[in-house]
Amino acid sequence: MAQIIFLHGASSSGKSTIAKKLQARIEKPFWHISIDHLRDSGVLPSSRFRTGEFIWANARKAFFDGFHASLAVYADAGNDLILEHILDTEGWLETLDNLLRHHDVFFVAVHCPLEVLTEREKARGDRPVGSAKRDYEAVHVGKTYDIELNSADGADANVERLLAAWRSARRSSSFNCRKG
């Protein structure tokens, strides 16, 4: 059984900062996985999507179906994961719960004040304007977490809290409540 620390929050909420610090501190060799890694590595023909030569809406479902399936394959092979993701599409939670059902998923909410999200979105310039606000209003609705963090508390403090909670082995999130 692999261990998966699933960082979930709005775009620009601080998931990557927490993930990097967590990976540097945690006592096991966890992989850090995110959509941003795929985008930034050139896996996707991003410039051709931006120009409209390819239509992202036509490719999105297959991309995320593949991404989700790959997470299960990594975990099934015995790799522990720090996963950053935004469950912004109906059914993704259930899909991932099913794909990762044999693994220890520690589900973490990463909250961030809306004003900070909006500023970060603007500064980054690589997100559709308004996506942070849309995520802020919707991504945590109806989900139960093992721990909830606020990026305003600082990444170091959040990593300490996360590690203490993760090490406790208590699980009661949206992922684990369906198991039994």
Side-chain angles (χ1 to χ4, degrees), residues 89-161:
T89 298
E90 186 72 32
W92 282 1
L93 174 64
E94 294 77 13
T95 295
L96 285 167
D97 184 44
N98 184 53
L99 287 169
L100 303 174
R101 70 186 171 279
H102 300 298
H103 302 289
D104 176 24
V105 179
F106 187 73
F107 198 32
V108 180
V110 180
H111 298 282
C112 185
L114 180 57
E115 313 78 57
V116 175
L117 289 175
T118 304
E119 282 301 311
R120 288 178 181 173
E121 177 183 79
K122 187 188 311 183
R124 288 175 73 158
D126 65 350
R127 302 286 193 274
V129 174
S131 63
K133 182 178 187 301
R134 187 174 51 253
D135 290 349
Y136 175 85
E137 294 171 345
V139 298
H140 296 296
V141 174
K143 295 173 183 68
T144 303
Y145 296 95
D146 293 303
I147 189 171
E148 298 199 33
L149 306 175
N150 190 317
S151 63
D153 296 336
D156 290 326
N158 279 325
V159 168
E160 287 304 314
R161 285 189 59 226

Side-chain angles (χ1 to χ4, degrees), residues 54-96:
F54 298 145
I55 308 300
W56 175 243
N58 296 340
R60 187 177 193 274
K61 182 180 181 332
F63 173 80
F64 281 104
D65 286 351
F67 177 67
H68 294 156
S70 76
L71 298 171
V73 172
Y74 294 145
D76 289 348
N79 297 292
D80 297 319
L81 308 175
I82 298 168
L83 168 62
E84 297 178 52
H85 198 10
I86 305 170
L87 298 174
D88 64 1
T89 298
E90 186 72 32
W92 282 1
L93 174 64
E94 294 77 13
T95 295
L96 285 167

Side-chain angles (χ1 to χ4, degrees), residues 164-180:
W166 172 74
R167 288 173 182 144
S168 78
R170 286 188 300 272
R171 307 290 185 261
S172 60
S173 75
S174 294
F175 279 89
N176 297 292
C177 70
R178 293 189 217 345
K179 296 174 176 135

